[in-house]
Amino acid sequence: MANALEIPEIRLRIGLFLASCELAACTRVSRSWNDTFTVLLWRVCSVISHSSRNPTLEALNKHADQIRDLRYYGHINHGYFSPECSRLASLTVDGDWTLALESSIEVSVKLSHLIQKNQSTLTHFQFGDHHAFLSAIIWNAMAACPNIEFIQLRHSLVNQRDMEAFWEACSKVETLHLICPALFSLRFGFKTGLTTRVPVLLPKLRHLKMEGIDGISNVEQLQVVMRAPNLCSLDWTAAMDPESPQFPQDAYQEMMSTRACPQLKDLAISEIFMSDDNIALALNAMTTAEGLRLGWCGFAENGFRSLIPRHSKTIRVLELAQAYDMTSAMVQEILCSCPLLEVVRLDRIQGTELVQFEQGEAAFDPKNGDVPKATVGRDWVCLGLKSLSMSFDLSASNSDATRDHIASDISTDDEDPRRKQYELEQYHAFRQISRLSRLETLDFGDMNTGRPKPAAQNLDLRLRERGGGLQALASLRKLKLLRFFYTSQELGEEEIDWMVDHWPRFYMLLGYLHPDGERDRELRDYFRRRRNPANAFSVRSLI
């Protein structure tokens, strides 16, 4: 029987999982191995400034037909911009004054020639170079690529005279990322007045990311969005616009009320306040909402009614961490109504949403698994969650006026109703989390306050025999990261041993492990020694 490694297809499949240095070693085994692994070795080629491992220009041209992904990093020799590649699918220029004024014409011409030689195969183009102008010859070459799908422009400039060529290139792509560029005019295709009908500018665009764009106002940026009728996802970080620092209300209302983007499913807006009414307007304009990620926002009753039940069966990502008007009851209803949720980032949930202790019941001992009769909240249905971030307010009284002080008054007496309420709430909080077997990230820290909360106000991560509920999380076999900033924990080596033994993928522990600083450092050093060395490299604690 022939050795499996003698079959080129098997070697090729194995090579997809090897690093560059391993591929290079494989090319030296035999001629047949060289033929197989050289193709993979040169598939992605990076040229990095001041690197001793860069290929020579001769080697680059020799293997040019095998390169599919060509990447330039830093200020590099301009000769590298003239390889004989003719089958590129992706071109990345992440420069450092690569297009400085004295060389911009030369490099622009070489880049445009490289793009033209790969017009039929090029699908991805990424350019990032501080203070660099990309001239019209590059954008014209890009617009002539029939299969271009993705353009990213980062920290670069587009001059007014080149704007028409720039937007013409953008009109060909499905994904456009504009990250902190300077666009000096939107003159191509834009007319005064939001109600003016203009030709479609971006007919193929489905995914748009705009972050910190300089040179055009937030209103004009929304005009760009309105020119993409097939847009599915919008990730917008508004610019700090001194002329219009407030939310561009009129432009936004027109965009949503006229359903300028009827296929929009994923909306992310940050660096500008979104009111409850504007959130509701967006959700009502969406036929199907799959993602909603907002920074500082006023999500409240109107937004909630527009989200649930209209989008409860389709929403997958919901991040509203700074929605201070969202109630705990809304949080519980979302978790109980949205089965497809994978990423959740909300403010807080009160323990009384999970369970309400009946005062007449006798004390119970959670160490033995005893559970008294109580009014138990509905089970969460989002069992596919991969990331959960929200604070748990556990106490007999969860009012804002008392929640920062109530824990210090809770007696250790098992007959104290507040103690029983807290223990019952914690039991059911851990029970709900334990059902999320696909969870990779768990964050129950208080994200919206800078002061630690008493231990009785949040989950206690100690082992059950020490008063916590850690053992309930044994089902989280995929957990990688645990974060609990601004909670008071008092962990020990036994808790760390338990985590490492029960969570095979676990690598990051963020938060104070112990209130004593010296003891906290000892425990973090212990975790570094105990965890799987194949996992990530550091443990942090908030200073």
Side-chain angles (χ1 to χ4, degrees):
M1 179 180 291
N3 188 328
L5 293 179
E6 295 178 2
I7 303 174
E9 291 79 8
I10 293 180
R11 291 197 301 264
L12 193 64
R13 180 65 177 172
I14 293 173
L16 296 175
F17 300 93
L18 300 181
S20 296
C21 59
E22 296 168 329
L23 290 171
C26 290
T27 62
R28 296 190 288 269
V29 172
S30 67
R31 286 188 177 181
S32 61
W33 280 45
N34 181 278
D35 293 340
T36 299
F37 292 106
T38 296
V39 173
L40 295 174
L41 183 62
W42 284 93
R43 190 176 186 86
V44 178
C45 181
S46 298
V47 181
I48 305 171
S49 62
H50 309 299
S51 173
S52 60
R53 302 177 64 182
N54 286 335
T56 64
L57 288 173
E58 180 182 1
L60 189 64
N61 287 320
K62 178 181 178 181
H63 298 281
D65 284 344
Q66 297 170 336
I67 300 174
R68 300 293 179 271
D69 186 347
L70 182 57
R71 306 173 184 180
Y72 298 107
Y73 296 103
H75 189 74
I76 61 177
N77 186 327
H78 296 165
Y80 278 103
F81 288 100
S82 301
E84 296 301 320
C85 302
S86 59
R87 301 171 65 187
L88 283 180
S90 178
L91 176 61
T92 299
V93 181
D94 192 350
D96 180 13
W97 291 92
T98 299
L99 296 186
L101 292 177
E102 65 273 11
S103 62
S104 61
I105 296 178
E106 176 188 358
V107 176
S108 294
V109 169
K110 289 184 176 182
L111 273 178
S112 65
H113 288 168
L114 181 60
I115 294 170
Q116 289 169 357
K117 283 189 292 186
N118 294 272
Q119 277 185 355
S120 62
T121 58
L122 196 64
T123 60
H124 287 64
F125 178 66
Q126 301 180 63
F127 187 89
D129 196 339
H130 288 275
H131 308 295
F133 284 93
L134 276 182
S135 69
I137 60 173
I138 291 180
W139 296 120
N140 287 331
M142 193 62 57
C145 296
N147 299 311
I148 191 70
E149 299 174 357
F150 175 90
I151 289 179
Q152 175 176 291
L153 184 65
R154 185 173 57 84
H155 295 292
S156 302
L157 302 89
V158 179
N159 212 335
Q160 182 172 351
R161 65 177 180 272
D162 302 323
M163 193 63 63
E164 182 172 347
F166 167 72
W167 287 115
E168 180 64 23
C170 292
S171 70
K172 308 296 183 179
V173 301
E174 293 184 3
T175 303
L176 176 62
H177 289 179
L178 302 176
I179 303 175
C180 302
L183 307 180
F184 289 98
S185 171
L186 285 178
R187 67 180 182 86
F188 174 59
F190 287 93
K191 300 181 180 180
T192 305
L194 295 175
T195 58
T196 304
R197 292 187 177 274
V198 294
V200 172
L201 176 64
L202 306 168
K204 296 183 179 180
L205 192 63
R206 297 178 65 83
H207 310 284
L208 174 62
K209 180 174 183 178
M210 300 188 297
E211 178 180 335
I213 299 178
D214 189 21
I216 61 176
S217 68
N218 289 328
V219 171
E220 290 175 310
Q221 292 179 43
L222 287 183
Q223 286 181 323
V224 173
V225 178
M226 295 174 68
R227 309 293 287 282
N230 295 309
L231 195 68
C232 294
S233 68
L234 171 63
D235 186 348
W236 181 39
T237 300
M240 301 304 292
D241 188 353
E243 297 182 1
S244 180
Q246 302 300 319
F247 189 82
Q249 187 69 30
D250 293 341
Y252 175 83
Q253 285 188 346
E254 178 175 352
M255 181 179 73
M256 292 301 176
S257 61
T258 61
R259 300 193 67 190
C261 306
Q263 299 184 43
L264 189 65
K265 298 179 180 180
D266 192 335
L267 178 64
I269 297 180
S270 57
E271 296 299 328
I272 196 164
F273 181 78
M274 281 277 286
S275 69
D276 187 35
D277 289 339
N278 283 334
I279 296 171
L281 191 61
L283 290 170
N284 290 330
M286 293 183 187
T287 302
T288 300
E290 296 181 359
L292 182 64
R293 291 166 289 145
L294 303 177
W296 177 36
C297 69
F299 185 94
E301 190 64 31
N302 291 336
F304 177 75
R305 287 200 302 264
S306 299
L307 176 66
I308 306 294
R310 179 184 177 91
H311 301 295
S312 59
K313 303 303 180 184
T314 60
I315 192 77
R316 294 178 180 272
V317 177
L318 186 62
E319 298 187 9
L320 305 169
Q322 292 180 289
Y324 301 116
D325 295 327
M326 176 185 279
T327 66
S328 176
M330 293 179 187
V331 173
Q332 172 69 356
E333 183 63 27
I334 289 171
L335 296 174
C336 293
S337 304
C338 304
L340 298 184
L341 278 173
E342 296 180 1
V343 177
V344 167
R345 183 177 175 87
L346 303 173
D347 181 20
R348 64 185 67 246
I349 188 171
Q350 294 179 352
T352 48
E353 302 294 341
L354 306 175
V355 61
Q356 180 61 56
F357 177 66
E358 296 181 5
Q359 297 287 345
E361 288 295 317
F364 74 103
D365 184 2
K367 300 175 186 177
N368 300 326
D370 297 333
V371 182
K373 293 181 179 179
T375 303
V376 179
R378 293 156 56 199
D379 281 341
W380 299 345
V381 298
C382 46
L383 301 184
L385 266 182
K386 296 180 180 179
S387 177
L388 174 63
S389 300
M390 70 179 181
S391 180
F392 289 81
D393 276 3
L394 309 180
S395 66
S397 172
N398 287 294
S399 67
D400 291 338
T402 62
R403 69 184 183 191
D404 288 333
H405 308 287
I406 186 94
S408 60
D409 297 330
I410 293 180
S411 168
T412 57
D413 183 1
D414 284 343
E415 296 298 329
D416 188 323
R418 292 174 299 176
R419 165 60 57 181
K420 291 190 289 184
Q421 175 69 33
Y422 166 71
E423 291 177 342
L424 191 57
E425 289 176 5
Q426 174 163 264
Y427 172 86
H428 282 282
F430 276 118
R431 182 183 68 82
Q432 293 279 22
I433 296 173
S434 70
R435 300 171 63 245
L436 310 176
S437 59
R438 300 181 185 178
L439 208 60
E440 298 178 4
T441 299
L442 174 59
D443 179 358
F444 60 86
D446 192 339
M447 294 169 282
N448 298 324
T449 179
R451 58 184 185 277
K453 296 171 63 180
Q457 283 289 149
N458 214 313
L459 300 178
D460 188 339
L461 275 177
R462 291 177 297 178
L463 292 170
R464 191 172 291 135
E465 55 269 21
R466 286 170 23 91
L470 184 60
Q471 286 99 322
L473 304 184
S475 60
L476 307 186
R477 300 283 294 173
K478 296 184 178 182
L479 194 68
K480 299 178 181 179
L481 185 148
L482 179 62
R483 182 185 185 276
F484 44 85
F485 285 142
Y486 302 122
T487 69
S488 295
Q489 302 292 333
E490 195 169 336
L491 307 184
E493 285 83 356
E494 52 268 61
E495 280 80 21
I496 292 176
D497 287 338
W498 189 95
M499 294 176 186
V500 173
D501 292 340
H502 288 80
W503 300 333
R505 303 183 184 182
F506 189 55
Y507 69 84
M508 188 70 76
L509 196 57
L510 300 175
Y512 283 119
L513 309 184
H514 197 279
D516 180 80
E518 183 61 32
R519 178 63 174 150
D520 179 69
R521 285 188 291 271
E522 291 176 0
L523 290 170
R524 286 187 282 119
D525 289 339
Y526 182 74
F527 178 57
R528 290 189 184 99
R529 297 191 300 270
R530 274 289 284 118
R531 66 184 166 175
N532 187 341
N535 290 330
F537 53 88
S538 66
V539 182
R540 301 179 189 171
S541 182
L542 188 63
I543 303 301

